[in-house]
Amino acid sequence: MVCALGAAVCFGTATVLQAMAARAAAGGSGGEAALLLRAVREWRYLAGLALDGLGFLFQIAALRSVPIYAVGAALASSLAVTAVVAARLLRVRLSRTEWAAVGVVCAGLAMLGLAAGTEGEESGPQALPWVMLGVAGGVLLLGLAGTRLTGRGRALVLGLGAGFGFGVVEVAVRLIDSLAPSELLTDPAVYALLLGGGAAFLLLTSALQRGSVTTATAGMVIGETIGPALVGVVWLGDRTREGLGWLAVLGFAVAVAGALALARFGEAPEAVPAAEPAPEPPVRPSPP
């Protein structure tokens, strides 16, 4: 569970650092490619990428040691990390409701930490890796369909698709049994991981560029938590500590609900500008 929380901290902090770098690079000329090249030269953007890589390593370690449902809820909590770091570094004002949501996420994760058992030892049906590969391909098709929509419908479909893709990554990590190069090349779970992760990144990027950040992120949180959790429990043998199944379900629901309340932080918000001081009233000349 510590690795899952470490991944959440890395991903949540990386989001804010990359947003700060992109904002600093936005003053020049050129299109999106030029903006990206300027952002890459920013140390904060590079630090964010490094944190993303470290977070992915933490995620893999967590998925190999604790149930998928616990890892998925912890990764969704990265929105709480983003909110807190944005409040500190970007001086974004959080409402009382949002601070309460941060507390709700922490409470849900605490319940999950108490109730979660060890990683399931079952490998699932033999066809499961191929099913995951098929789902990853379906994510791409869903993305093509979603790009034809407009407004919140587009953001929701693309966000859900991104969540399904990230969910494929979570399950595929558990299905990879050997790291021998000869076996990796013939393992469909490896290709499911690569295709699902790549498709998820593309869909989420498209959703955030041309749609509601809140809607897209909410769809992503739902897609990457519920489905993989069910796969882990039904086919991979993920269980809770004896007698604490109810606490795990409650903690999962509470953590995901808190993350959904913070969905606007799926993309770090713009800093709130400081209020300009009110102009002083003109001084009226005193009578002679």
Side-chain angles (χ1 to χ4, degrees):
M1 196 66 183
V2 173
C3 288
L5 294 176
V9 171
C10 288
F11 291 144
T13 306
T15 298
V16 178
L17 290 176
Q18 289 165 351
M20 294 175 68
R23 185 174 306 155
S29 60
E32 294 295 327
L35 174 62
L36 178 60
L37 288 176
R38 289 195 299 271
V40 170
R41 297 172 186 170
E42 287 277 337
W43 69 266
R44 287 168 293 195
Y45 192 88
L46 297 177
L49 290 179
L51 283 174
D52 280 333
L54 181 60
F56 184 66
L57 293 179
F58 277 138
Q59 179 184 356
I60 292 176
L63 287 167
R64 306 294 292 188
S65 57
V66 297
I68 293 177
Y69 62 79
V71 178
L75 293 181
S77 74
S78 65
L79 293 172
V81 177
T82 298
V84 173
V85 176
R88 177 69 176 177
L89 297 184
L90 297 180
R91 299 188 179 182
V92 174
R93 294 180 181 177
L94 303 186
S95 66
R96 292 183 179 179
T97 300
E98 288 169 336
W99 278 118
V102 172
V104 165
V105 169
C106 294
L109 292 177
M111 287 186 277
L112 272 176
L114 290 173
T118 57
E119 172 200 11
E121 297 180 356
E122 300 178 18
S123 58
Q126 292 185 350
L128 187 57
W130 293 101
V131 171
M132 289 297 102
L133 183 58
V135 172
V139 168
L140 284 177
L141 296 179
L142 184 63
L144 292 176
T147 54
R148 299 182 180 181
L149 301 176
T150 57
R152 289 187 176 272
R154 172 193 172 95
L156 180 60
V157 170
L158 293 179
L160 277 172
F164 292 151
F166 289 130
V168 167
V169 172
E170 295 174 17
V171 176
V173 168
R174 285 280 298 276
L175 296 178
I176 298 175
D177 293 326
S178 173
L179 297 180
S182 58
E183 296 189 20
L184 287 176
L185 291 174
T186 59
D187 190 345
V190 174
Y191 298 100
L193 186 154
L194 297 175
L195 180 59
F201 180 78
L202 291 176
L203 266 62
L204 184 60
T205 301
S206 179
L208 295 178
Q209 284 178 342
R210 299 184 180 180
S212 165
V213 170
T214 301
T215 303
T217 305
M220 181 192 68
V221 169
I222 293 173
E224 74 175 346
T225 54
I226 298 177
L230 291 175
V231 171
V233 171
V234 175
W235 285 303
L236 301 181
D238 287 347
R239 295 293 182 266
T240 63
R241 294 181 182 178
E242 187 173 355
L244 294 180
W246 65 272
L247 185 61
V249 173
L250 179 61
F252 179 86
V254 167
V256 172
L260 290 175
L262 296 168
R264 78 178 179 99
F265 292 96
E267 183 179 68
E270 294 290 330
V272 178
E276 295 183 2
E280 296 182 2
V283 179
R284 301 176 62 182
S286 58

